[in-house]
Amino acid sequence: MKLANILRSIIFASAAAFLIFNQDHSVATGIAVVQYVSVAIAFGSAVIYKLDTSENKLGPIATPGAIAFLIALMSIFISPATPQMSLSVLTGLIAAFAGGNAIAEFVLSLRSSKADQLELRISAAIGVLTALVFALGQLDGLNAVGFLSAYLSVLAVQRAIWLASPKSKEQNG
């Protein structure tokens, strides 16, 4: 779980930094960032799955990788015809990514150790809120990309805090 958290924290932080410091906050930029995040997590999860020697790697490593792989495929192969369809694709991809990971993390928290249980539920709650905002909110392109940047920033910080917590260090030792 430690390697997966390091990977995801780096990916989320780099994507958030790109969006924060990039002047172009268009829907196309948002979709490109979703592609980057999903492909990087899918590929990174596959590598970590191969490197990790623990018995319990299906839930914390393979499941988020599979969700990211599906989002990557959708983001690459869906080609919207109009700007409004592009915005709908962006918000749908983010809602699916956040919601899918939220469900997976909540289910994983039911079987995890006490040290990881709270962090997984916090991450799941962030994902549920993000999925609701993107699924139900009436967002324009600028707001959608801005909320995506905020979501990625919060996840990166939450994962980094999780890694730096004393209980996590004792458990992963």
Side-chain angles (χ1 to χ4, degrees), residues 1-20:
M1 191 77 187
K2 185 177 180 179
L3 280 176
N5 278 336
I6 291 170
L7 170 76
R8 292 179 197 137
S9 185
I10 291 169
I11 292 169
F12 295 147
S14 63
F18 174 77
L19 286 175
I20 290 167

mmCIF file of all heavy atoms in Angstrom, residues 1-20:
data_model
loop_
_atom_site.group_PDB
_atom_site.id
_atom_site.type_symbol
_atom_site.label_atom_id
_atom_site.label_comp_id
_atom_site.label_asym_id
_atom_site.label_seq_id
_atom_site.Cartn_x
_atom_site.Cartn_y
_atom_site.Cartn_z
ATOM 1 N N MET A 1 0.820 -1.188 0.000
ATOM 2 C CA MET A 1 0.000 0.000 0.000
ATOM 3 C C MET A 1 0.866 1.254 0.000
ATOM 4 O O MET A 1 0.481 2.260 -0.548
ATOM 5 C CB MET A 1 -0.911 -0.050 1.228
ATOM 6 C CG MET A 1 -1.986 0.962 1.243
ATOM 7 S SD MET A 1 -3.291 0.474 0.132
ATOM 8 C CE MET A 1 -4.296 1.898 0.197
ATOM 9 N N LYS A 2 2.046 1.146 0.620
ATOM 10 C CA LYS A 2 2.923 2.311 0.688
ATOM 11 C C LYS A 2 3.387 2.752 -0.697
ATOM 12 O O LYS A 2 3.326 3.937 -1.028
ATOM 13 C CB LYS A 2 4.128 1.991 1.582
ATOM 14 C CG LYS A 2 5.037 3.166 1.805
ATOM 15 C CD LYS A 2 6.159 2.802 2.753
ATOM 16 C CE LYS A 2 7.071 3.988 2.962
ATOM 17 N NZ LYS A 2 8.166 3.673 3.887
ATOM 18 N N LEU A 3 3.814 1.805 -1.526
ATOM 19 C CA LEU A 3 4.245 2.159 -2.884
ATOM 20 C C LEU A 3 3.092 2.748 -3.704
ATOM 21 O O LEU A 3 3.284 3.694 -4.455
ATOM 22 C CB LEU A 3 4.810 0.924 -3.592
ATOM 23 C CG LEU A 3 6.230 0.524 -3.258
ATOM 24 C CD1 LEU A 3 6.602 -0.767 -3.969
ATOM 25 C CD2 LEU A 3 7.201 1.614 -3.613
ATOM 26 N N ALA A 4 1.911 2.175 -3.545
ATOM 27 C CA ALA A 4 0.747 2.682 -4.281
ATOM 28 C C ALA A 4 0.416 4.102 -3.845
ATOM 29 O O ALA A 4 0.077 4.952 -4.688
ATOM 30 C CB ALA A 4 -0.453 1.759 -4.061
ATOM 31 N N ASN A 5 0.524 4.391 -2.558
ATOM 32 C CA ASN A 5 0.258 5.746 -2.075
ATOM 33 C C ASN A 5 1.302 6.744 -2.564
ATOM 34 O O ASN A 5 0.971 7.879 -2.898
ATOM 35 C CB ASN A 5 0.173 5.780 -0.552
ATOM 36 C CG ASN A 5 -1.178 5.350 -0.054
ATOM 37 O OD1 ASN A 5 -2.171 5.433 -0.764
ATOM 38 N ND2 ASN A 5 -1.226 4.888 1.175
ATOM 39 N N ILE A 6 2.554 6.329 -2.596
ATOM 40 C CA ILE A 6 3.608 7.199 -3.117
ATOM 41 C C ILE A 6 3.339 7.508 -4.590
ATOM 42 O O ILE A 6 3.397 8.669 -5.013
ATOM 43 C CB ILE A 6 5.000 6.552 -2.925
ATOM 44 C CG1 ILE A 6 5.368 6.494 -1.448
ATOM 45 C CG2 ILE A 6 6.062 7.302 -3.720
ATOM 46 C CD1 ILE A 6 6.602 5.665 -1.140
ATOM 47 N N LEU A 7 3.044 6.480 -5.357
ATOM 48 C CA LEU A 7 2.759 6.657 -6.780
ATOM 49 C C LEU A 7 1.581 7.608 -6.987
ATOM 50 O O LEU A 7 1.679 8.571 -7.748
ATOM 51 C CB LEU A 7 2.451 5.305 -7.432
ATOM 52 C CG LEU A 7 1.900 5.388 -8.850
ATOM 53 C CD1 LEU A 7 3.014 5.713 -9.823
ATOM 54 C CD2 LEU A 7 1.194 4.102 -9.233
ATOM 55 N N ARG A 8 0.477 7.350 -6.314
ATOM 56 C CA ARG A 8 -0.719 8.164 -6.509
ATOM 57 C C ARG A 8 -0.502 9.595 -6.034
ATOM 58 O O ARG A 8 -0.964 10.539 -6.663
ATOM 59 C CB ARG A 8 -1.914 7.522 -5.806
ATOM 60 C CG ARG A 8 -2.312 6.237 -6.484
ATOM 61 C CD ARG A 8 -3.476 5.562 -5.812
ATOM 62 N NE ARG A 8 -3.526 4.174 -6.252
ATOM 63 C CZ ARG A 8 -3.757 3.153 -5.465
ATOM 64 N NH1 ARG A 8 -4.016 3.330 -4.196
ATOM 65 N NH2 ARG A 8 -3.768 1.935 -5.951
ATOM 66 N N SER A 9 0.208 9.768 -4.940
ATOM 67 C CA SER A 9 0.478 11.117 -4.453
ATOM 68 C C SER A 9 1.294 11.915 -5.465
ATOM 69 O O SER A 9 0.997 13.085 -5.730
ATOM 70 C CB SER A 9 1.214 11.052 -3.103
ATOM 71 O OG SER A 9 1.377 12.330 -2.569
ATOM 72 N N ILE A 10 2.292 11.290 -6.054
ATOM 73 C CA ILE A 10 3.122 11.970 -7.059
ATOM 74 C C ILE A 10 2.296 12.298 -8.302
ATOM 75 O O ILE A 10 2.389 13.401 -8.846
ATOM 76 C CB ILE A 10 4.353 11.115 -7.415
ATOM 77 C CG1 ILE A 10 5.318 11.064 -6.229
ATOM 78 C CG2 ILE A 10 5.053 11.631 -8.662
ATOM 79 C CD1 ILE A 10 6.435 10.043 -6.365
ATOM 80 N N ILE A 11 1.488 11.354 -8.756
ATOM 81 C CA ILE A 11 0.668 11.582 -9.949
ATOM 82 C C ILE A 11 -0.349 12.694 -9.704
ATOM 83 O O ILE A 11 -0.497 13.609 -10.519
ATOM 84 C CB ILE A 11 -0.028 10.278 -10.390
ATOM 85 C CG1 ILE A 11 1.006 9.279 -10.896
ATOM 86 C CG2 ILE A 11 -1.086 10.555 -11.456
ATOM 87 C CD1 ILE A 11 0.472 7.876 -11.105
ATOM 88 N N PHE A 12 -1.039 12.629 -8.577
ATOM 89 C CA PHE A 12 -2.047 13.652 -8.273
ATOM 90 C C PHE A 12 -1.400 15.022 -8.117
ATOM 91 O O PHE A 12 -1.918 16.021 -8.604
ATOM 92 C CB PHE A 12 -2.833 13.295 -7.014
ATOM 93 C CG PHE A 12 -3.682 12.057 -7.133
ATOM 94 C CD1 PHE A 12 -3.890 11.242 -6.039
ATOM 95 C CD2 PHE A 12 -4.282 11.698 -8.327
ATOM 96 C CE1 PHE A 12 -4.682 10.103 -6.125
ATOM 97 C CE2 PHE A 12 -5.065 10.553 -8.442
ATOM 98 C CZ PHE A 12 -5.270 9.760 -7.330
ATOM 99 N N ALA A 13 -0.266 15.091 -7.431
ATOM 100 C CA ALA A 13 0.409 16.370 -7.216
ATOM 101 C C ALA A 13 0.923 16.966 -8.528
ATOM 102 O O ALA A 13 0.785 18.173 -8.769
ATOM 103 C CB ALA A 13 1.551 16.206 -6.223
ATOM 104 N N SER A 14 1.493 16.130 -9.385
ATOM 105 C CA SER A 14 2.014 16.654 -10.658
ATOM 106 C C SER A 14 0.882 17.131 -11.563
ATOM 107 O O SER A 14 1.001 18.167 -12.218
ATOM 108 C CB SER A 14 2.884 15.610 -11.359
ATOM 109 O OG SER A 14 2.125 14.462 -11.698
ATOM 110 N N ALA A 15 -0.225 16.412 -11.583
ATOM 111 C CA ALA A 15 -1.368 16.834 -12.393
ATOM 112 C C ALA A 15 -1.975 18.117 -11.847
ATOM 113 O O ALA A 15 -2.326 19.026 -12.618
ATOM 114 C CB ALA A 15 -2.418 15.724 -12.444
ATOM 115 N N ALA A 16 -2.092 18.212 -10.525
ATOM 116 C CA ALA A 16 -2.639 19.428 -9.917
ATOM 117 C C ALA A 16 -1.722 20.620 -10.180
ATOM 118 O O ALA A 16 -2.194 21.713 -10.509
ATOM 119 C CB ALA A 16 -2.838 19.230 -8.420
ATOM 120 N N ALA A 17 -0.421 20.422 -10.056
ATOM 121 C CA ALA A 17 0.531 21.505 -10.321
ATOM 122 C C ALA A 17 0.443 21.967 -11.770
ATOM 123 O O ALA A 17 0.481 23.170 -12.051
ATOM 124 C CB ALA A 17 1.947 21.059 -9.984
ATOM 125 N N PHE A 18 0.315 21.022 -12.677
ATOM 126 C CA PHE A 18 0.167 21.387 -14.087
ATOM 127 C C PHE A 18 -1.064 22.267 -14.288
ATOM 128 O O PHE A 18 -1.000 23.295 -14.947
ATOM 129 C CB PHE A 18 0.073 20.133 -14.957
ATOM 130 C CG PHE A 18 -0.233 20.438 -16.392
ATOM 131 C CD1 PHE A 18 0.761 20.917 -17.239
ATOM 132 C CD2 PHE A 18 -1.511 20.275 -16.905
ATOM 133 C CE1 PHE A 18 0.487 21.216 -18.567
ATOM 134 C CE2 PHE A 18 -1.797 20.574 -18.224
ATOM 135 C CZ PHE A 18 -0.790 21.048 -19.061
ATOM 136 N N LEU A 19 -2.183 21.861 -13.719
ATOM 137 C CA LEU A 19 -3.408 22.645 -13.881
ATOM 138 C C LEU A 19 -3.309 24.005 -13.196
ATOM 139 O O LEU A 19 -3.814 25.000 -13.718
ATOM 140 C CB LEU A 19 -4.609 21.880 -13.330
ATOM 141 C CG LEU A 19 -5.102 20.719 -14.184
ATOM 142 C CD1 LEU A 19 -6.213 19.971 -13.459
ATOM 143 C CD2 LEU A 19 -5.592 21.206 -15.535
ATOM 144 N N ILE A 20 -2.674 24.053 -12.048
ATOM 145 C CA ILE A 20 -2.569 25.313 -11.315
ATOM 146 C C ILE A 20 -1.710 26.321 -12.069
ATOM 147 O O ILE A 20 -2.065 27.498 -12.172
ATOM 148 C CB ILE A 20 -2.013 25.067 -9.900
ATOM 149 C CG1 ILE A 20 -3.071 24.344 -9.058
ATOM 150 C CG2 ILE A 20 -1.589 26.375 -9.228
ATOM 151 C CD1 ILE A 20 -2.542 23.784 -7.754
#
